[in-house]
Amino acid sequence: MMRVLRLVVLALLPVLVLALLLGRAGAAQRSPGWWDPDGVGSGSDWHYRVPVTMPSTSSVNSTAKVDIDFAALMTELGISGTFDSNSVRVVRPGGTISTIQEYSGTIYAGASDSTGNARGEVRWIVQDSGVQTYYVYFDITANGAKAANPQTPINGNFEQSSSGTQLPNGWTSATRTNAAYDLQVRPSESVSVTSDGGPYNNPTTTDGTPLTGSFSYLLGARTNNEPANGNVSQTEATRLTRTITVPATNPGNLVVRWRVEGWDSDINATTTFDNLHIRVTTAGGAVTEIVGPATNNYANAPFSPNYGSSAVTNPNPGFGQYNGFDMGLNGNHTLGMTVALHSQPWWTRTISLSAYAGQTVTLSFGTTHLQLFKSWFHLDDIEWSVVSGTLGNAEGFGVGATSPAGSLAPGQVVTVTAVVDANPTAASNPVTADLVNGSGTSVASAVKLYNDGTHGDTTANDATWTNNGSDSGNPTYTVPLSSGSSSGWIVRVYAKDASTSTQGSNGMIHRNGLGVPLVLANWWNIDQASFSVDAASVGLSKTMTVVSDGVNSSNFKTIPGARVQYCVTISNSGTASAGTVVGTDSLPGTLSYVTGSLKSGADCSSSATGEDDNAIGSDETDPIGASFASSSVTITRGSLAPSTSFAVTYQANVN
């Protein structure tokens, strides 16, 4: 007998909203985790960075040094804009900013450089030993001009101070016995100076050019000598100090650089004429002079403009001529030096710091003066325990697509949650998303997640914004009810900044050397989340068995008076649970339902011996309900898990 069954599945589906969270990326983010100096909701955001890998010789308190061409990195990222020289920040491996750091745009590759070519030298004091990856962050002015770096600089090159500053930023102390002495940061300059003692007033134009960069430090008696002290030596007439902590392992070297200028002379530690002394003093008070009369090393490290304790003669060196060094009036060297008469070279002394490993020591740069014969000194590029880092490829700010994840069901609204630690700009550069289904077909493109006129474009650093579909121009996407189970659905999020792209997609940050299609593999500020659609697939089958016919003892026939048993099996072959399942089976007039014959079970066999209709659904542990009324059998179940089934049997008499 042909019978018609109807099956209805009522799926109870949660509704999800479309949301974008502005903040730091979570662990689920596949883009790099990003540094946010002032937290979500305030301050500035950085958009670009470059990793710097430190060598194994890098120790805590080492001085890290790396030359960076930011213009080249911007080309690598496929962006153009005006480099923001204030934006350079060094961030430690754990995501905190380095305590002592600096960027000098006037120095590159150990030489003076233009400030307008977007490159320079970055230094910081190492706080994480061994092979570690630091990050140097930078930006362009179009993404919001950054304030000057507030961190303490190393400033051994004096580039982090203004002209005329007595105590350079980052240094410990600067003192002088009288205001007539020079003690200040100076720019590059040529200064006319006249000797205060004669008799050889040559030359009058002196060199004030820094060794590198825009500034050096001047100490001594260039502008004035000290007229009030008579012919008495003024020890420590000027003094500049710096306290440093030497690495406990791999302490490296101390390098000092200075220039000598003037007319006076000195010879050794027994005299107290015009001289420079550079010393290292331990916490316990032990003093080592590395440049100065106590070293008795004038030929290799001159500490006064001339050598000698008397006036210059022919053939003896001495005070009276400008930068005569070891030469008498005949111009002949007496100590084997090779510098030219009246020349103004920079000198360098390098000493090992191994004797001071793990100690805090004070570097001091001091001068001694008499009343006559001006003498002065320049300092520049003082450095210690230097280790060089290796640059990696530049990266752009990350966007993290954190949802959807796992699976959705037909009828659900696709929730897109993205974490962005940078500020999208204006209507032309919103955060958007594309949605691709499991077959690779785009089903929604350029869905605006973060561009409603008040979030992310006119207001920076919004903490949270949820789009529930009511905002104009910000649609949601709902998985069609007709969708079957499938995997490989993708939500791809794009977060643009204010840069101009050289790869044809403004606001996007290109990965070094990769293609231009806007996919995760090629661009830094793209991320995607994968999910599957899990749908219920409910089916049913029905079998009939003649259990008696009132005539035969076997091989029963469907004849009037016979009794038949039906088994209805309902199954879910999909990957998602079905909601309330309702099945109905209508009996024709040729059949009469046998009261009390409804039974249920996992399959036809167990159902035939299961509970009768009075018990089906009557207790809390039985998920199946069945009843007979108005010539129809109705079967209900609250839910049906994937890959499961159940059966209901009942009997009827043939009229």
Side-chain angles (χ1 to χ4, degrees):
M1 293 183 179
M2 298 299 295
R3 300 285 308 285
V4 178
L5 289 85
R6 295 179 58 223
L7 183 66
V8 178
V9 181
L10 301 178
L12 301 179
L13 302 176
V15 177
L16 306 181
V17 296
L18 191 64
L20 182 84
L21 306 179
L22 178 67
R24 294 193 62 184
Q29 182 183 354
R30 286 166 293 280
S31 299
W34 219 248
W35 167 70
D36 189 346
D38 37 39
V40 176
S42 63
S44 301
D45 289 310
W46 270 249
H47 290 68
Y48 321 118
R49 73 181 186 182
V50 61
V52 181
T53 302
M54 301 306 299
S56 59
T57 55
S58 174
S59 304
V60 173
N61 295 316
S62 296
T63 301
K65 173 183 173 181
V66 62
D67 295 306
I68 302 180
D69 187 337
F70 293 100
L73 294 183
M74 290 167 61
T75 299
E76 182 180 307
L77 292 171
I79 62 171
S80 62
T82 300
F83 168 66
D84 184 352
S85 60
N86 279 338
S87 69
V88 179
R89 300 289 189 274
V90 180
V91 175
R92 296 173 59 190
T96 59
I97 192 167
S98 291
T99 304
I100 300 176
Q101 59 172 277
E102 66 188 33
Y103 166 65
S104 300
T106 55
I107 301 173
Y108 185 76
S112 298
D113 201 49
S114 169
T115 58
N117 56 12
R119 67 183 188 182
E121 179 186 88
V122 181
R123 293 183 184 237
W124 65 94
I125 298 299
V126 172
Q127 295 173 262
D128 309 272
S129 63
V131 179
Q132 299 281 351
T133 299
Y134 282 75
Y135 288 92
V136 177
Y137 281 74
F138 63 102
D139 216 325
I140 59 176
T141 56
N143 285 326
K146 308 300 188 290
N149 195 337
Q151 302 302 101
T152 301
I154 300 171
N155 208 15
N157 51 28
F158 306 104
E159 300 301 299
Q160 317 303 318
S161 301
S162 301
S163 176
T165 302
Q166 180 170 319
L167 179 60
N169 194 3
W171 286 75
T172 305
S173 68
T175 59
R176 53 186 174 180
T177 59
N178 192 287
Y181 290 127
D182 294 289
L183 193 69
Q184 60 177 293
V185 175
R186 296 300 304 167
S188 181
E189 57 190 353
S190 295
V191 180
S192 179
V193 180
T194 301
S195 171
D196 53 353
Y200 306 105
N201 203 14
N202 52 43
T204 58
T205 301
T206 65
D207 190 358
T209 305
L211 177 59
T212 64
S214 298
F215 299 102
S216 62
Y217 196 82
L218 170 68
L219 66 168
R222 185 182 76 176
T223 304
N224 295 291
N225 214 320
E226 173 53 79
N229 67 329
N231 200 32
V232 178
S233 175
Q234 292 270 298
T235 59
E236 298 294 301
T238 66
R239 189 168 188 261
L240 177 69
T241 67
R242 173 70 180 257
T243 300
I244 67 170
T245 300
V246 180
T249 58
N250 302 316
N253 298 319
L254 168 66
V255 182
V256 293
R257 298 176 174 93
W258 73 101
R259 179 167 53 208
V260 177
E261 295 185 84
W263 286 268
D264 216 329
S265 65
D266 206 345
I267 185 169
N268 55 42
T270 63
T271 61
T272 52
F273 303 141
D274 290 31
N275 62 56
L276 169 72
H277 51 261
I278 302 176
R279 296 166 178 160
V280 178
T281 304
T282 66
V287 179
T288 301
E289 188 161 288
I290 60 176
V291 174
T295 65
N296 196 26
N297 186 27
Y298 186 92
N300 296 313
F303 42 81
S304 187
N306 295 281
Y307 182 80
S309 57
S310 303
V312 62
T313 65
N314 182 357
N316 298 318
F319 58 82
Q321 65 176 340
Y322 178 83
N323 281 19
F325 296 105
D326 66 338
M327 290 171 277
L329 292 176
N330 58 6
N332 295 330
H333 291 287
T334 61
L335 298 178
M337 299 177 74
T338 59
V339 294
L341 183 66
H342 304 158
S343 62
Q344 302 156 78
W346 282 91
W347 300 87
T348 300
R349 182 81 195 277
T350 301
I351 68 163
S352 171
L353 289 174
S354 58
Y356 306 100
Q359 300 183 50
T360 297
V361 300
T362 299
L363 310 180
S364 64
F365 305 82
T367 64
T368 296
H369 298 283
L370 290 176
Q371 177 185 359
L372 300 179
F373 300 110
K374 293 178 181 178
S375 297
W376 64 95
F377 309 87
H378 287 96
L379 306 175
D380 205 358
D381 298 338
I382 312 301
E383 61 183 13
W384 60 93
S385 309
V386 173
V387 290
S388 296
T390 302
L391 287 180
N393 291 329
E395 302 171 352
F397 79 91
V399 54
T402 57
S403 74
S407 62
L408 277 70
Q412 281 189 280
V413 174
V414 177
T415 301
V416 178
T417 303
V419 184
V420 181
D421 196 22
N423 185 34
T425 59
S428 60
N429 290 323
V431 176
T432 60
D434 291 346
L435 181 62
V436 179
N437 66 20
S439 301
T441 301
S442 176
V443 294
S445 61
V447 176
K448 296 177 181 178
L449 304 183
Y450 199 61
N451 181 28
D452 65 346
T454 59
H455 295 84
D457 31 40
T458 62
T459 302
N461 294 291
D462 300 80
T464 304
W465 177 54
T466 299
N467 175 11
N468 59 13
S470 62
D471 296 301
S472 176
N474 294 278
T476 59
Y477 178 81
T478 303
V479 178
L481 287 171
S482 60
S483 298
S485 297
S486 61
S487 60
W489 287 64
I490 294 174
V491 167
R492 187 174 291 129
V493 178
Y494 309 87
K496 301 180 180 182
D497 66 19
S499 66
T500 300
S501 175
T502 61
Q503 302 293 332
S505 182
N506 287 344
M508 300 303 290
I509 304 168
H510 191 236
R511 289 181 186 258
N512 182 49
L514 297 176
V516 296
L518 290 178
V519 295
L520 179 64
N522 297 339
W523 300 82
W524 279 112
N525 46 348
I526 295 177
D527 198 25
Q528 62 190 41
S530 299
F531 65 98
S532 62
V533 170
D534 289 341
S537 180
V538 179
L540 61 90
S541 62
K542 181 178 180 181
T543 61
M544 181 194 74
T545 304
V546 182
V547 296
S548 67
D549 61 11
V551 177
N552 302 299
S553 59
S554 62
N555 297 321
F556 305 122
K557 304 297 188 291
T558 309
I559 59 177
R563 178 170 291 189
V564 295
Q565 179 169 286
Y566 292 98
C567 177
V568 177
T569 302
I570 300 176
S571 61
N572 181 5
S573 60
T575 57
S577 293
T580 302
V581 178
V582 179
T584 60
D585 188 13
S586 298
L587 275 69
T590 57
L591 294 176
S592 298
Y593 171 71
V594 177
T595 302
S597 63
L598 272 171
K599 297 183 179 182
S600 65
D603 51 33
C604 291
S605 176
S606 60
S607 175
T609 58
E611 299 177 351
D612 61 28
D613 63 337
N614 293 322
I616 292 177
S618 63
D619 63 80
E620 294 181 356
T621 62
D622 188 353
I624 304 168
S627 62
F628 178 80
S630 301
S631 301
S632 293
V633 173
T634 300
I635 305 166
T636 61
R637 181 161 177 162
S639 64
L640 185 59
S643 302
T644 60
S645 61
F646 69 96
V648 172
T649 62
Y650 66 91
Q651 294 181 354
N653 292 324
V654 179
N655 296 329

